[in-house]
């Protein structure tokens, strides 16, 4: 799922391309993509884009007349841009779930796989938009005290808390792994049991990881529209690196799998040498499940 760094780069690329331009045509090609019916999507045609911004994990386009289009890419949704010149020559035109033709070019939404989770919603007025979207804390805009208060609002594991859009905006499965590895904290540590020094480490790690990856992705895209948006990137410390050596200590990265997600962590850096139980595999292996680094390496 695209998270704050990826979405920030998407937003900046769209700002350069569509702000101040009119939407000439729109085509929604999948019946379940559009989650609202009033106002109709056709009401956007002929209106200029006034804003492009990120709201939590959504990309929001503001149009003349106080209309707001919110796009949630979910796990596999991606955006593609073709300039007017490329569109005229039919190069760069993609089939997809939706197509938006602006004066400056065409924006296409695609989604990999057979599951259709990406969503569009159109709101009449910014108040309606704000009421409909999650109100998680924007950590990069919050001071340390506000972050600490939000973290302790509910007693959850750190992994769950960081990825809960009602608590924190823009952080998902991939960057939560990286943040917790940088902060040297267990993904299963409970939020209300953290000491003040641990909370400070977590706050600093969030700023460092999200800031560093946003700059990396900006540099990779340059003036081009972002491509290869993925949750698994070379240079990540633990996410997607199960079985590979931790870049800090060399211990093999471990994982906890659940549903369609997994948590990656370093047992030496984050869990004081303990190997956390994977629900499915630990039940299968029972007494043979390694509980320490030493047992894992034997």
């Amino acid at each position: 799922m695209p998270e704050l760094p990826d979405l920030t780069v998407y937003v900046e690329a769209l700002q350069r391309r569509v702000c101040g331009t009119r939407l000439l045509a729109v085509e929604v090609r999948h019946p379940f993509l559009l989650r609202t019916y009033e106002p109709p999507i056709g009401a956007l045609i002929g209106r200029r884009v006034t804003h492009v911004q990120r709201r939590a994990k959504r990309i929001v386009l503001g149009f003349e007349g106080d209309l707001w289009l919110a796009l949630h890419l979910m796990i596999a949704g991606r955006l593609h841009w073709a300039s007017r010149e490329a569109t005229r020559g039919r190069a760069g035109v993609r089939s997809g779930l939706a197509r938006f033709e602006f004066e400056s070019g065409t924006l296409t939404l695609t989604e990999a796989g057979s599951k259709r989770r990406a969503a569009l919603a159109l709101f009449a007025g910014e108040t309606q938009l704000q009421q409909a979207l999650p109100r998680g804390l924007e950590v990069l805009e919050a001071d340390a005290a506000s972050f600490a208060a939000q973290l302790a609002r509910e007693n959850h594991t750190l992994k769950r808390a960081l990825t809960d859009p009602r608590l924190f905006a823009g952080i998902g499965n991939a960057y939560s792994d990286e943040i917790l590895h940088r902060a040297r904290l267990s993904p299963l540590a409970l939020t209300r049991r953290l000491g003040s020094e641990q909370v400070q480490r977590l706050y600093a790690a969030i700023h460092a990881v999200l800031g560093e990856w946003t700059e990396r992705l900006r540099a990779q895209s340059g003036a081009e529209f972002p491509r290869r948006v993925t949750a698994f990137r070379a240079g990540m410390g633990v996410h997607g690196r199960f079985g590979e050596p931790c870049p800090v200590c060399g211990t093999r990265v471990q994982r906890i799998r659940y549903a369609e997600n997994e948590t990656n962590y370093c047992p030496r850096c984050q869990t004081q040498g303990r190997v956390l139980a994977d629900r499915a595999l630990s039940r299968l292996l029972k007494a043979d499940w390694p509980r320490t680094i030493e047992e894992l390496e034997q």
Side-chain angles (χ1 to χ4, degrees), residues 177-243:
D177 282 351
E178 295 301 291
I179 288 165
L180 291 172
H181 180 248
R182 182 73 64 93
R184 308 188 307 281
L185 292 171
S186 168
L188 300 188
L190 293 174
T191 53
R192 289 181 178 171
R193 293 187 180 180
L194 296 179
S196 59
E197 190 272 337
Q198 292 173 308
V199 173
Q200 290 171 4
R201 287 208 318 260
L202 182 59
Y203 177 75
I206 290 173
H207 280 255
V209 169
L210 296 182
E212 289 170 12
W213 276 103
T214 299
E215 290 304 317
R216 285 192 194 188
L217 299 184
R218 280 178 179 143
Q220 288 175 13
S221 297
E224 300 295 320
F225 197 79
R227 299 176 182 176
R228 299 174 185 170
V229 175
T230 175
F232 306 99
R233 295 187 178 277
M236 283 188 162
V238 291
H239 185 73
R241 301 187 69 240
F242 171 64

Side-chain angles (χ1 to χ4, degrees), residues 53-66:
Q53 54 195 236
R54 178 187 62 81
R55 299 281 183 99
K57 291 180 185 174
R58 290 166 175 79
I59 296 172
V60 176
L61 281 72
F63 289 82
E64 292 175 323
D66 202 20

Side-chain angles (χ1 to χ4, degrees), residues 117-131:
R117 294 172 173 165
L120 280 174
L122 181 60
F123 301 98
E126 189 169 5
T127 299
Q128 190 181 92
L129 170 71
Q130 292 175 343
Q131 291 173 345

Side-chain angles (χ1 to χ4, degrees), residues 4 21 39 50 52 61 63 68 71 77 100 109 180 186 198 203 209 213 223 232 236 253 265-266 269 271:
L4 187 150
T21 69
T50 57
V52 182
L61 281 72
F63 289 82
W68 298 84
L71 168 60
F100 302 86
L109 166 64
L180 291 172
S186 168
Q198 292 173 308
Y203 177 75
V209 169
W213 276 103
F232 306 99
M236 283 188 162
V253 171
Y265 68 97
C266 171
C269 293
T271 60

Side-chain angles (χ1 to χ4, degrees), residues 120-177:
L120 280 174
L122 181 60
F123 301 98
E126 189 169 5
T127 299
Q128 190 181 92
L129 170 71
Q130 292 175 343
Q131 291 173 345
L133 300 189
R135 301 184 183 182
L137 183 72
E138 289 286 351
V139 183
L140 298 185
E141 301 172 7
D143 59 27
S146 299
F147 170 74
Q150 186 77 339
L151 188 67
R153 201 178 86 184
E154 298 178 10
N155 194 32
H156 295 307
T157 65
L158 281 177
K159 178 71 175 187
R160 179 180 171 185
L162 289 180
T163 57
D164 187 340
R166 298 174 300 110
L167 295 176
F168 300 105
I171 303 174
N173 196 45
Y175 289 104
S176 61
D177 282 351

Side-chain angles (χ1 to χ4, degrees), residues 280-297:
L281 194 55
S282 63
R283 286 175 182 172
L284 176 65
L285 296 179
K286 296 182 179 178
D288 289 331
W289 175 256
R291 291 173 173 77
T292 65
I293 296 173
E294 290 71 22
E295 291 180 10
L296 183 69
E297 292 174 344

